[in-house]
Amino acid sequence: MSASPSRARPSDLPPSRQRGLSQYARLRVGSKADALLSDLVELAGPTPLGAPSLEAHLFRSLRRRLGDPAAWRRRGAESATWFRPAATGYGEQLARFRAMWSPGDAEILELHFARLLEPGEVAWVIDAPEARVRETLEAALEAGERLFGAEP
């Protein structure tokens, strides 16, 4: 945790993490993401004392700007937006795995596995108990191992 609030600056994040913020927004609101991201720093303000990291603060601020999660575009597992491996069997397994999760659980998985936030950061971003985040991640790891094997 920070000792005092500091100005949130995406430029403090590595480029891959900056792209993560952009991808997170684009998956939910499409081309409207550019406008939401352009002034994110000014609207996010200083990183609050309770924020586990600058990145978590920016994701939480962005998430709030994206509006009601029920209104976000939902992409099915067959969407061209998602990575689809050339190996058909693996691709079918991956599509089944993606379809297993509620939108809320899928967001937890995305924030942890794709956006590389730690469980405590994910919990802070979505305003949920960390225990729920950890349970979801554990369930996903178990389901993945059942579906893909211990070493896919």
Side-chain angles (χ1 to χ4, degrees):
M1 266 190 248
S2 302
S4 63
S6 61
R7 183 47 101 192
R9 292 178 301 176
S11 60
D12 291 342
L13 297 174
S16 63
R17 298 295 177 98
Q18 293 175 40
R19 283 190 303 275
L21 283 164
S22 176
Q23 290 168 351
Y24 181 81
R26 285 183 179 285
L27 285 171
R28 286 155 179 80
V29 297
S31 61
K32 295 177 188 173
D34 292 335
L36 294 173
L37 291 164
S38 67
D39 57 357
L40 177 63
V41 174
E42 290 75 28
L43 294 173
T47 304
L49 290 174
S53 67
L54 167 62
E55 188 171 11
H57 172 56
L58 291 172
F59 268 101
R60 182 175 178 157
S61 297
L62 176 59
R63 187 176 193 270
R64 288 179 174 171
R65 294 198 71 203
L66 293 172
D68 181 9
W72 293 345
R73 286 194 293 188
R74 299 287 180 216
R75 298 194 187 324
E78 72 288 341
S79 171
T81 304
W82 298 114
F83 166 75
R84 289 182 291 187
T88 307
Y90 180 73
E92 290 169 0
Q93 288 175 310
L94 191 55
R96 278 197 309 273
F97 183 80
R98 288 178 177 144
M100 294 172 66
W101 308 103
S102 70
D105 288 348
E107 183 180 17
I108 289 171
L109 299 179
E110 176 189 355
L111 287 169
H112 179 68
F113 292 111
R115 309 297 164 222
L116 305 177
L117 297 180
E118 294 297 324
E121 293 173 309
V122 173
W124 196 80
V125 169
I126 65 171
D127 196 26
E130 187 173 342
R132 176 177 175 261
V133 170
R134 289 187 181 280
E135 288 169 8
T136 301
L137 295 173
E138 181 68 27
L141 290 172
E142 290 172 5
E145 192 167 308
R146 280 191 312 273
L147 192 60
F148 301 107
E151 295 184 31

